[in-house]
Amino acid sequence: MSIDTMKRRSFLQGAALLGAGVVSKAGAASLPEAPVQDSAATAAPLVPPNGRPYNPVVTLNGWSLPWRMKDGVKEFHLVAEPVVRELAPGMHANLWGYNGQSPGPTIEVVEGDRVRIFVTNKLPEHTSVHWHGQILPNGMDGVSGVTQPSIQPGKTFVYEFVAKHAGTFMYHPHADEMAQMAMGMMGFWVTHPKDPRQHAVDRDFVFLLAAYDIEPGSYTPKINTMLDFNLWTFNSRVFPAIDPMVVRQGDRVRIRAGNLTMTNHPLHVHGHTFEVTGTDGGWVRPSARWPEVTTDIAVGQMRAIEFVADNPGDWAFHCHKSHHTMNAMGHDVPTLIGVDHRGVAEKINQLVPGYMVMGEKGGAMGGMRMALPENTLPMMTGTGQFGEIEMGGMFTLLKVREGLRRGDYRDPGHYRHPKGTVAYEWTGEKPPAPSAPGGKAGRAEGALDVRRGGAHEGHEGH
Ligand SMILES: [Cu+2]
C-alpha cells in the first residue's frame, strides 16, 4: 500500500467519523420524527403498526399522528407552528396549528398506554398544550403559569402520562388562548378501549368545531372577534369542501365532535335518530341514553353520537344555527323581503358598477353570480343533483349506501332515488283553501302582503 493510498484511507475514515460526529446518531434519535401533513384531504385511517390493536377513527379532512414505540412508551412529536390551511378550494387562511395543519393531527392511543409527547414550539410566542379531558398528574395538564412554565419559541417540552380512560378528548393551548385558539391551535384525541370489541362501530368519524373571522380579501383571522365570526367550520373546512361521511347501509356509525368555538352548536342529522353515547367525561351507560336527531354541543364539550345507518340516501348533517351554515358574509345587511327594488339597482349601478340587489324575495342566492373579492367564498354554495344547495359552513352529507366495502370512504356520488320517492310538483287540482273551524275562508283584513315571485324574476337582468 502506498503512502498516498494510506493517507487517502485515513482521510476517508476521518471524514466518515467527522460526519458521524456532526449528525450524531444519539442526537437524531432523541426526538421522535415529527411527520408533517400539507394536504387538507381526509387521510386513510391509521391502522396501528404496533402496540395494542384498536379500530382507528377517520378524521374528516384531517389525519392521525404516527408514533414511535420506545421501551413500551408511545412517543409522539407535535410541532406548534404557523400553517396555511385550505378552508376550501380557492380560499386559504394563515393559521397556527401543529405539524403542518390546523387542526393538528388526531392522536390515537389505547386505554392504559403510557404516552410521551414532545412539543416543539415554532410559533413566534410561547405556548403550552392542555390535554382536555385527560385525568393526569397536575404537572402534565399544560396550563401556562399554573402547572408549568410556558414553552418559549424554539424550545421543546415533554409531556408524559398514562391514558387512563377510554374516550373522546382534545388538545389545545392554555397560553394566550384567545389568540392561539382563534388562530386554529387545536387537535383531536381518542383513547380507544383496551378491548377493541368494546363499543366497536363500523365507522368512527371525528372533527372539531372551529370558527374564524377572516375578512374578504384578507388571509389572517381577526383574533379579537367574540361572536361575529364569518366562517364556521368542521376541522377548519367549510361546506362544500367538507368531505361527506360515507357509510355502508347497516353500519353502526359513530360521529365524535368537539367544540372549541365561542358558542354552542346544535348538530342535526337527517333520516336517522341517534343516541349520545359519549361525552368528554366518558361513555354514557345505555340506561341513561335517549334518542335525538339534534344534540347541542356547548363550548368546550365533546360528544360522541351513535346510530345504525339503516336509511339509504344523501342526508344533511349540519349545525342547526342557520348562520352557521353560511360562508363569509356581512352581518349588517337589512332584511329586504317584500321591498320592491325595481329601478334602484340601475341607479346604484351608475355609482357602483356590478351592484346586485339581494333579498327582495328572500335570501336565496342560488343562480346569483357576483364577482367576489380575493380569498373569500360565496355565502351559500354547493350544487346537488337537483340544483343549488345554498349552504356553507358547518354542513356536510351523510351518504348511506348499500354494499360498500369495509373501509371504503370514497364519495359514491349522488344518491339514486328509487322511482316514486322524490318530492314533485303537484299539477292536479288544488285543494280548497283551508279555514279555521267556524271562521271565514280567505285572507284576513290587513294581512301582510309579502311579494313572492311574479314577473320580476331573477337577478341576471339588473
Ligand atoms: Cu353552529
Side-chain angles (χ1 to χ4, degrees):
M1 197 183 287
S2 72
I3 289 175
D4 263 10
T5 313
M6 278 177 68
K7 268 188 184 163
R8 198 174 147 73
R9 278 182 64 166
S10 65
F11 172 78
L12 282 172
Q13 275 170 359
L17 283 172
L18 184 67
V22 168
V23 185
S24 119
K25 254 198 174 157
S30 68
L31 274 180
E33 198 189 343
V36 171
Q37 178 62 265
D38 56 12
S39 161
T42 301
L46 175 64
V47 177
N50 53 39
R52 275 179 289 210
Y54 62 78
N55 301 314
V57 299
V58 173
T59 306
L60 267 193
N61 295 102
W63 61 301
S64 283
L65 187 61
W67 65 83
R68 154 176 99 173
M69 278 306 242
K70 197 175 181 192
D71 307 326
V73 180
K74 264 185 191 170
E75 289 190 339
F76 295 88
H77 191 174
L78 280 178
V79 178
E81 60 186 355
V83 301
V84 174
R85 173 68 169 179
E86 186 196 65
L87 297 182
M91 185 178 181
H92 293 83
N94 296 330
L95 301 181
W96 288 356
Y98 301 92
N99 301 50
Q101 278 293 352
S102 168
T106 300
I107 293 179
E108 295 183 74
V109 301
V110 178
E111 191 182 10
D113 275 354
R114 176 164 279 276
V115 178
R116 188 177 296 135
I117 306 142
F118 295 83
V119 178
T120 298
N121 183 9
K122 292 188 180 171
L123 296 174
E125 68 169 0
H126 63 266
T127 190
S128 70
V129 186
H130 168 57
W131 314 99
H132 187 115
Q134 303 279 349
I135 306 303
L136 35 58
N138 186 234
M140 294 295 164
D141 200 40
V143 181
S144 276
V146 176
T147 66
Q148 66 167 87
S150 285
I151 312 170
Q152 295 302 322
K155 301 290 181 196
T156 297
F157 270 47
V158 185
Y159 294 87
E160 185 167 336
F161 54 91
V162 174
K164 281 189 180 166
H165 304 283
T168 303
F169 308 106
M170 48 194 177
Y171 62 88
H172 62 78
H174 235 297
D176 193 14
E177 279 160 73
M178 193 190 85
Q180 295 190 7
M181 291 214 267
M183 288 295 285
M185 302 285 292
M186 58 189 72
F188 216 96
W189 178 300
V190 175
T191 302
H192 295 280
K194 251 183 209 151
D195 179 354
R197 289 166 301 182
Q198 201 183 335
H199 313 301
V201 292
D202 300 295
R203 314 235 171 181
D204 196 338
F205 298 94
V206 310
F207 59 88
L208 289 167
L209 302 162
Y212 300 99
D213 184 13
I214 304 177
E215 279 193 356
S218 72
Y219 289 76
T220 304
K222 295 195 328 200
I223 58 170
N224 294 322
T225 299
M226 221 168 97
L227 294 171
D228 253 356
F229 296 92
N230 62 7
L231 292 159
W232 301 93
T233 69
F234 292 171
N235 275 346
S236 299
R237 292 280 281 189
V238 292
F239 183 76
I242 301 172
D243 281 345
M245 290 184 276
V246 177
V247 307
R248 174 177 54 181
Q249 189 179 340
D251 271 354
R252 185 163 181 84
V253 178
R254 180 183 294 133
I255 300 171
R256 316 186 198 216
N259 182 3
L260 287 174
T261 72
M262 304 246 260
T263 187
N264 62 310
H265 299 283
L267 289 184
H268 175 52
V269 66
H270 295 205
H272 297 82
T273 58
F274 60 75
E275 288 178 342
V276 174
T277 55
T279 73
D280 29 354
W283 295 103
V284 182
R285 62 185 187 280
S287 63
R289 301 172 186 172
W290 64 85
E292 288 188 325
V293 294
T294 307
T295 193
D296 198 22
I297 308 191
V299 180
Q301 285 185 333
M302 315 285 293
R303 288 288 178 268
I305 66 168
E306 286 177 35
F307 57 96
V308 174
D310 54 6
N311 198 356
D314 288 346
W315 301 106
F317 176 92
H318 61 96
C319 173
H320 217 289
K321 289 188 176 178
S322 50
H323 279 210
H324 296 182
T325 54
M326 290 183 185
N327 293 332
M329 60 182 293
H331 290 117
D332 305 322
V333 181
T335 298
L336 297 172
I337 290 177
V339 176
D340 187 350
H341 280 89
R342 269 169 291 191
V344 175
E346 283 86 346
K347 283 173 198 156
I348 297 178
N349 247 307
Q350 292 165 12
L351 300 168
V352 187
Y355 173 81
M356 272 169 64
V357 169
M358 293 182 211
E360 171 192 345
K361 289 184 286 174
M365 296 177 80
M368 280 190 173
R369 292 291 174 266
M370 186 165 56
L372 288 168
E374 188 198 338
N375 202 46
T376 188
L377 296 166
M379 259 167 79
M380 302 181 275
T381 179
T383 309
Q385 59 178 316
F386 299 110
E388 307 276 348
I389 302 174
E390 298 181 333
M391 288 283 182
M394 292 173 165
F395 181 99
T396 189
L397 294 172
L398 171 73
K399 296 198 170 192
V400 183
R401 295 291 187 279
E402 238 182 322
L404 295 184
R405 281 210 330 274
R406 204 180 167 74
D408 185 357
Y409 292 89
R410 286 172 302 174
D411 188 341
H414 298 310
Y415 179 61
R416 296 172 67 89
H417 301 266
K419 204 167 183 304
T421 64
V422 178
Y424 60 97
E425 183 186 359
W426 176 252
T427 54
E429 208 172 303
K430 304 260 191 326
S435 60
K440 281 190 297 182
R443 292 174 57 85
E445 190 85 4
L448 179 66
D449 184 11
V450 177
R451 291 161 28 82
R452 306 287 294 191
H456 173 224
E457 288 278 11
H459 295 265
E460 311 286 8
H462 286 291

